[in-house]
Structure formats: structure tokens, C-alpha cells
Amino acid sequence: YRKALERLGTVFACAEEVDYQKASSYLKSASNRFGLSKATIQKDQSAFVSLWKELDLDYSVWKNHSIPKTADRTIERDIWENSEVLELLEAARGNNRKPWLFHAINIAAHTGARAEAISKCVYMPDKNMVWFPRMKAEKQDRRIPVHPKIKESLTYWENNRKNKSTISSAFTNLKKSLGYTGGVKVFHSFRKTFIQQLSFNNVPEQIAAAAVGHKVGSITYRRYGGGQALITSLEEAILLVDYNKPNWNRVFTSVSP
């Protein structure tokens, strides 16, 4: 609830000054003031009720409020260009305070896994596979072949893993330090970037969908190069991911959030 309390502190100097009318005004203006969704405002409201109880204050000032619907603030995530992926990896590699961040980025870029999935992944070196738990729109847990460039990262991660929040926070600080601001390019963008790598290499859609745990048709996907693709297995497809190649084309993919 730290962020909720930080937002509240920008409006009120102390808890005692909040009455029912002020609380109502705060909740109704939170969407425009802070760019919050209705769901986030309701979570903040719940946090305030809990805090007022702990402070032995009248928590009813935060209850029974009508929070208006908010506009859809879904942001279409953009991809990371190959050169940007290399820049992020190089910067993370030099971060002595958070050496684990390089490995988290490296895994994401070569698997398309979300931060939460990476936090819970299991490396199976004897099978050269990595297991990720089912996330959101994915059909099921997935096991995919390990790209040679992330074997060291997966070994390191087994004993140095971090949770989703820690990964996202550290990555946000890293990208901002490199001049990447805003919410268009984020850690989750590696998912689209990975799919783009597969599309550039003419990987069939059913294999690309299997790689990221989606149903065929749930990603907007185009193949380049013409003719029939020769890629017949997920392992072959994974090996084609190479960020040292230039971006010859821009492919925008639409992946379920």
C-alpha cells in the first residue's frame, strides 16, 4: 500500500484532517489527478480503511463512496529494438549493486516470459528446458527449449531469483537511467520483442504461439521472407533469436496483456 499512501500524502498533511466529504472528493478525483483506473482506486480505498483502523480513527470516512468509471487507460506496449536490447543488457551487466537484473532481462529477451513467470521459473538443465507457470491469457504451464545464451542466466537465477515487483522496479530505474521514459516500453515489452524475433525468422504461427503460451490466432502475427517456412520445431525457432542482427523491418504484434 506504499504507493497509495504516497499519493494520499500529496493531498493531505495528516490523517486527522480527512472527513467523509474530503475522502469522497479525493476518490472521485484520483483518476484524473493520478491517472488511476477504477480498480486501483478501489484498492487504495481499501488500504485507507485498513490504515484508519490501525490508527484508531473513524474509518467510515472511506466507506460507502461511489467511484465513477474511468476511461480505458490500456497502453499499447511497443517493442524493444535489437540495439536497445543489447544496450539494456550491457547496462545491466555493469550494475554491481543488482547483478541479477542482467539475468532477468536476458531470460525475458530469449523466452518472452513475463516478470512474474521469470520469478517462478524452473530450469531443467538435464532436459535443456525451462518451465514457466501459466500466466493470464496463456493456456497452460509451458516448457520451452533453452537458448544457449541464457543457460548461465538460468543457473544463476535458481539461487538468486527476485519477485515480480523487484524485477519491474529495478528495470524501470535502469531504463530511465538510459533515457527511456514513459510506459510504452517496459519489461513486458520483451514479450512482444521475442515474438517479433520469431516473425522475422519466418517461424510458423503455431510454433510462435506455443513458445509464448498462446492459442493460435491470439497474436497478430506476420511472417516475412516468403515461401514455406522450414522451421518445424520449437527448439529450432528458439535458436533463431539473435539480437545482434539489425531490425530490417518493424513488426507490431498484439499480445494479450
mmCIF file of all heavy atoms in Angstrom, residues 93-117:
data_model
loop_
_atom_site.group_PDB
_atom_site.id
_atom_site.type_symbol
_atom_site.label_atom_id
_atom_site.label_comp_id
_atom_site.label_asym_id
_atom_site.label_seq_id
_atom_site.Cartn_x
_atom_site.Cartn_y
_atom_site.Cartn_z
ATOM 1 N N ARG A 93 24.521 -5.515 -17.081
ATOM 2 C CA ARG A 93 25.710 -6.321 -16.770
ATOM 3 C C ARG A 93 26.701 -5.526 -15.898
ATOM 4 O O ARG A 93 27.409 -6.090 -15.071
ATOM 5 C CB ARG A 93 26.405 -6.758 -18.055
ATOM 6 C CG ARG A 93 27.503 -7.800 -17.839
ATOM 7 C CD ARG A 93 28.318 -7.987 -19.105
ATOM 8 N NE ARG A 93 27.535 -8.582 -20.164
ATOM 9 C CZ ARG A 93 27.369 -9.895 -20.322
ATOM 10 N NH1 ARG A 93 27.928 -10.730 -19.462
ATOM 11 N NH2 ARG A 93 26.659 -10.358 -21.332
ATOM 12 N N GLY A 94 26.711 -4.224 -16.092
ATOM 13 C CA GLY A 94 27.628 -3.387 -15.330
ATOM 14 C C GLY A 94 27.070 -2.894 -14.010
ATOM 15 O O GLY A 94 27.702 -2.094 -13.318
ATOM 16 N N ASN A 95 25.879 -3.354 -13.654
ATOM 17 C CA ASN A 95 25.248 -2.926 -12.402
ATOM 18 C C ASN A 95 25.709 -3.836 -11.260
ATOM 19 O O ASN A 95 25.145 -4.908 -11.026
ATOM 20 C CB ASN A 95 23.720 -2.981 -12.551
ATOM 21 C CG ASN A 95 23.007 -2.349 -11.369
ATOM 22 O OD1 ASN A 95 23.549 -2.270 -10.270
ATOM 23 N ND2 ASN A 95 21.780 -1.912 -11.588
ATOM 24 N N ASN A 96 26.722 -3.408 -10.550
ATOM 25 C CA ASN A 96 27.290 -4.241 -9.488
ATOM 26 C C ASN A 96 26.363 -4.373 -8.288
ATOM 27 O O ASN A 96 26.454 -5.336 -7.526
ATOM 28 C CB ASN A 96 28.634 -3.668 -9.041
ATOM 29 C CG ASN A 96 29.676 -3.737 -10.142
ATOM 30 O OD1 ASN A 96 29.686 -4.673 -10.932
ATOM 31 N ND2 ASN A 96 30.546 -2.731 -10.204
ATOM 32 N N ARG A 97 25.461 -3.395 -8.123
ATOM 33 C CA ARG A 97 24.540 -3.456 -6.986
ATOM 34 C C ARG A 97 23.404 -4.452 -7.232
ATOM 35 O O ARG A 97 22.858 -5.022 -6.290
ATOM 36 C CB ARG A 97 23.949 -2.073 -6.722
ATOM 37 C CG ARG A 97 24.977 -1.039 -6.252
ATOM 38 C CD ARG A 97 24.309 0.285 -5.981
ATOM 39 N NE ARG A 97 23.270 0.172 -4.968
ATOM 40 C CZ ARG A 97 22.362 1.096 -4.725
ATOM 41 N NH1 ARG A 97 22.356 2.218 -5.444
ATOM 42 N NH2 ARG A 97 21.457 0.927 -3.788
ATOM 43 N N LYS A 98 23.056 -4.651 -8.493
ATOM 44 C CA LYS A 98 21.972 -5.577 -8.830
ATOM 45 C C LYS A 98 22.414 -6.476 -9.978
ATOM 46 O O LYS A 98 21.889 -6.399 -11.089
ATOM 47 C CB LYS A 98 20.705 -4.807 -9.224
ATOM 48 C CG LYS A 98 20.117 -3.972 -8.090
ATOM 49 C CD LYS A 98 18.810 -3.338 -8.534
ATOM 50 C CE LYS A 98 18.143 -2.641 -7.351
ATOM 51 N NZ LYS A 98 18.364 -1.238 -7.317
ATOM 52 N N PRO A 99 23.364 -7.360 -9.743
ATOM 53 C CA PRO A 99 23.870 -8.225 -10.819
ATOM 54 C C PRO A 99 22.816 -9.160 -11.390
ATOM 55 O O PRO A 99 22.914 -9.605 -12.533
ATOM 56 C CB PRO A 99 25.000 -9.009 -10.136
ATOM 57 C CG PRO A 99 24.657 -8.974 -8.674
ATOM 58 C CD PRO A 99 24.034 -7.629 -8.456
ATOM 59 N N TRP A 100 21.766 -9.425 -10.614
ATOM 60 C CA TRP A 100 20.708 -10.332 -11.047
ATOM 61 C C TRP A 100 19.854 -9.753 -12.164
ATOM 62 O O TRP A 100 19.203 -10.490 -12.913
ATOM 63 C CB TRP A 100 19.800 -10.691 -9.866
ATOM 64 C CG TRP A 100 19.253 -9.488 -9.154
ATOM 65 C CD1 TRP A 100 19.779 -8.857 -8.060
ATOM 66 C CD2 TRP A 100 18.093 -8.725 -9.522
ATOM 67 N NE1 TRP A 100 19.015 -7.769 -7.713
ATOM 68 C CE2 TRP A 100 17.976 -7.655 -8.590
ATOM 69 C CE3 TRP A 100 17.147 -8.849 -10.531
ATOM 70 C CZ2 TRP A 100 16.943 -6.725 -8.650
ATOM 71 C CZ3 TRP A 100 16.120 -7.917 -10.603
ATOM 72 C CH2 TRP A 100 16.029 -6.866 -9.670
ATOM 73 N N LEU A 101 19.850 -8.421 -12.299
ATOM 74 C CA LEU A 101 18.975 -7.779 -13.280
ATOM 75 C C LEU A 101 19.361 -8.168 -14.704
ATOM 76 O O LEU A 101 18.491 -8.357 -15.558
ATOM 77 C CB LEU A 101 19.007 -6.260 -13.110
ATOM 78 C CG LEU A 101 18.075 -5.448 -14.014
ATOM 79 C CD1 LEU A 101 16.627 -5.902 -13.872
ATOM 80 C CD2 LEU A 101 18.193 -3.954 -13.698
ATOM 81 N N PHE A 102 20.643 -8.265 -14.972
ATOM 82 C CA PHE A 102 21.093 -8.707 -16.297
ATOM 83 C C PHE A 102 20.458 -10.042 -16.647
ATOM 84 O O PHE A 102 19.975 -10.256 -17.763
ATOM 85 C CB PHE A 102 22.616 -8.832 -16.335
ATOM 86 C CG PHE A 102 23.115 -9.608 -17.528
ATOM 87 C CD1 PHE A 102 23.255 -9.001 -18.769
ATOM 88 C CD2 PHE A 102 23.419 -10.964 -17.415
ATOM 89 C CE1 PHE A 102 23.698 -9.717 -19.877
ATOM 90 C CE2 PHE A 102 23.862 -11.692 -18.510
ATOM 91 C CZ PHE A 102 24.001 -11.056 -19.746
ATOM 92 N N HIS A 103 20.471 -10.958 -15.712
ATOM 93 C CA HIS A 103 19.956 -12.307 -15.970
ATOM 94 C C HIS A 103 18.443 -12.306 -16.190
ATOM 95 O O HIS A 103 17.933 -13.047 -17.043
ATOM 96 C CB HIS A 103 20.351 -13.229 -14.821
ATOM 97 C CG HIS A 103 21.832 -13.337 -14.636
ATOM 98 N ND1 HIS A 103 22.651 -14.009 -15.509
ATOM 99 C CD2 HIS A 103 22.653 -12.806 -13.681
ATOM 100 C CE1 HIS A 103 23.914 -13.924 -15.110
ATOM 101 N NE2 HIS A 103 23.937 -13.206 -14.000
ATOM 102 N N ALA A 104 17.730 -11.478 -15.447
ATOM 103 C CA ALA A 104 16.274 -11.384 -15.637
ATOM 104 C C ALA A 104 15.952 -10.863 -17.034
ATOM 105 O O ALA A 104 15.062 -11.385 -17.725
ATOM 106 C CB ALA A 104 15.667 -10.476 -14.578
ATOM 107 N N ILE A 105 16.664 -9.823 -17.471
ATOM 108 C CA ILE A 105 16.442 -9.261 -18.807
ATOM 109 C C ILE A 105 16.821 -10.276 -19.881
ATOM 110 O O ILE A 105 16.109 -10.459 -20.883
ATOM 111 C CB ILE A 105 17.265 -7.966 -18.985
ATOM 112 C CG1 ILE A 105 16.766 -6.880 -18.037
ATOM 113 C CG2 ILE A 105 17.190 -7.472 -20.432
ATOM 114 C CD1 ILE A 105 17.641 -5.636 -18.009
ATOM 115 N N ASN A 106 17.934 -10.941 -19.684
ATOM 116 C CA ASN A 106 18.415 -11.925 -20.649
ATOM 117 C C ASN A 106 17.400 -13.052 -20.833
ATOM 118 O O ASN A 106 17.103 -13.480 -21.960
ATOM 119 C CB ASN A 106 19.751 -12.489 -20.171
ATOM 120 C CG ASN A 106 20.532 -13.171 -21.275
ATOM 121 O OD1 ASN A 106 20.385 -12.848 -22.464
ATOM 122 N ND2 ASN A 106 21.366 -14.111 -20.905
ATOM 123 N N ILE A 107 16.833 -13.528 -19.742
ATOM 124 C CA ILE A 107 15.829 -14.595 -19.802
ATOM 125 C C ILE A 107 14.574 -14.099 -20.529
ATOM 126 O O ILE A 107 14.027 -14.787 -21.393
ATOM 127 C CB ILE A 107 15.471 -15.091 -18.388
ATOM 128 C CG1 ILE A 107 16.684 -15.782 -17.747
ATOM 129 C CG2 ILE A 107 14.280 -16.059 -18.436
ATOM 130 C CD1 ILE A 107 16.514 -16.066 -16.265
ATOM 131 N N ALA A 108 14.130 -12.892 -20.190
ATOM 132 C CA ALA A 108 12.928 -12.337 -20.824
ATOM 133 C C ALA A 108 13.108 -12.178 -22.327
ATOM 134 O O ALA A 108 12.220 -12.518 -23.113
ATOM 135 C CB ALA A 108 12.590 -10.981 -20.200
ATOM 136 N N ALA A 109 14.255 -11.673 -22.738
ATOM 137 C CA ALA A 109 14.500 -11.414 -24.154
ATOM 138 C C ALA A 109 14.577 -12.687 -24.981
ATOM 139 O O ALA A 109 14.295 -12.672 -26.187
ATOM 140 C CB ALA A 109 15.795 -10.616 -24.311
ATOM 141 N N HIS A 110 14.941 -13.803 -24.353
ATOM 142 C CA HIS A 110 15.108 -15.052 -25.099
ATOM 143 C C HIS A 110 14.003 -16.078 -24.847
ATOM 144 O O HIS A 110 14.075 -17.205 -25.339
ATOM 145 C CB HIS A 110 16.467 -15.675 -24.769
ATOM 146 C CG HIS A 110 17.627 -14.899 -25.319
ATOM 147 N ND1 HIS A 110 18.199 -13.842 -24.642
ATOM 148 C CD2 HIS A 110 18.298 -15.007 -26.496
ATOM 149 C CE1 HIS A 110 19.197 -13.347 -25.361
ATOM 150 N NE2 HIS A 110 19.273 -14.021 -26.493
ATOM 151 N N THR A 111 12.984 -15.679 -24.069
ATOM 152 C CA THR A 111 11.851 -16.582 -23.825
ATOM 153 C C THR A 111 10.500 -15.906 -23.979
ATOM 154 O O THR A 111 9.483 -16.587 -24.113
ATOM 155 C CB THR A 111 11.911 -17.177 -22.404
ATOM 156 O OG1 THR A 111 11.762 -16.107 -21.446
ATOM 157 C CG2 THR A 111 13.222 -17.911 -22.158
ATOM 158 N N GLY A 112 10.467 -14.569 -23.910
ATOM 159 C CA GLY A 112 9.195 -13.858 -23.956
ATOM 160 C C GLY A 112 8.400 -13.999 -22.671
ATOM 161 O O GLY A 112 7.198 -13.735 -22.654
ATOM 162 N N ALA A 113 9.051 -14.383 -21.597
ATOM 163 C CA ALA A 113 8.341 -14.602 -20.329
ATOM 164 C C ALA A 113 8.093 -13.294 -19.589
ATOM 165 O O ALA A 113 8.902 -12.372 -19.635
ATOM 166 C CB ALA A 113 9.139 -15.554 -19.444
ATOM 167 N N ARG A 114 6.969 -13.227 -18.895
ATOM 168 C CA ARG A 114 6.643 -12.084 -18.049
ATOM 169 C C ARG A 114 7.516 -12.086 -16.796
ATOM 170 O O ARG A 114 8.067 -13.118 -16.409
ATOM 171 C CB ARG A 114 5.167 -12.129 -17.635
ATOM 172 C CG ARG A 114 4.173 -12.022 -18.791
ATOM 173 C CD ARG A 114 2.760 -12.208 -18.258
ATOM 174 N NE ARG A 114 1.742 -11.874 -19.236
ATOM 175 C CZ ARG A 114 1.249 -12.733 -20.129
ATOM 176 N NH1 ARG A 114 1.681 -13.984 -20.145
ATOM 177 N NH2 ARG A 114 0.315 -12.344 -20.980
ATOM 178 N N ALA A 115 7.600 -10.938 -16.145
ATOM 179 C CA ALA A 115 8.409 -10.819 -14.928
ATOM 180 C C ALA A 115 7.967 -11.821 -13.864
ATOM 181 O O ALA A 115 8.794 -12.471 -13.214
ATOM 182 C CB ALA A 115 8.338 -9.403 -14.382
ATOM 183 N N GLU A 116 6.652 -11.974 -13.681
ATOM 184 C CA GLU A 116 6.161 -12.904 -12.657
ATOM 185 C C GLU A 116 6.514 -14.340 -13.000
ATOM 186 O O GLU A 116 6.884 -15.129 -12.124
ATOM 187 C CB GLU A 116 4.650 -12.759 -12.491
ATOM 188 C CG GLU A 116 4.099 -13.615 -11.357
ATOM 189 C CD GLU A 116 2.625 -13.388 -11.087
ATOM 190 O OE1 GLU A 116 1.999 -12.559 -11.795
ATOM 191 O OE2 GLU A 116 2.094 -14.034 -10.169
ATOM 192 N N ALA A 117 6.417 -14.688 -14.279
ATOM 193 C CA ALA A 117 6.766 -16.045 -14.700
ATOM 194 C C ALA A 117 8.253 -16.310 -14.481
ATOM 195 O O ALA A 117 8.649 -17.404 -14.050
ATOM 196 C CB ALA A 117 6.389 -16.255 -16.163
#
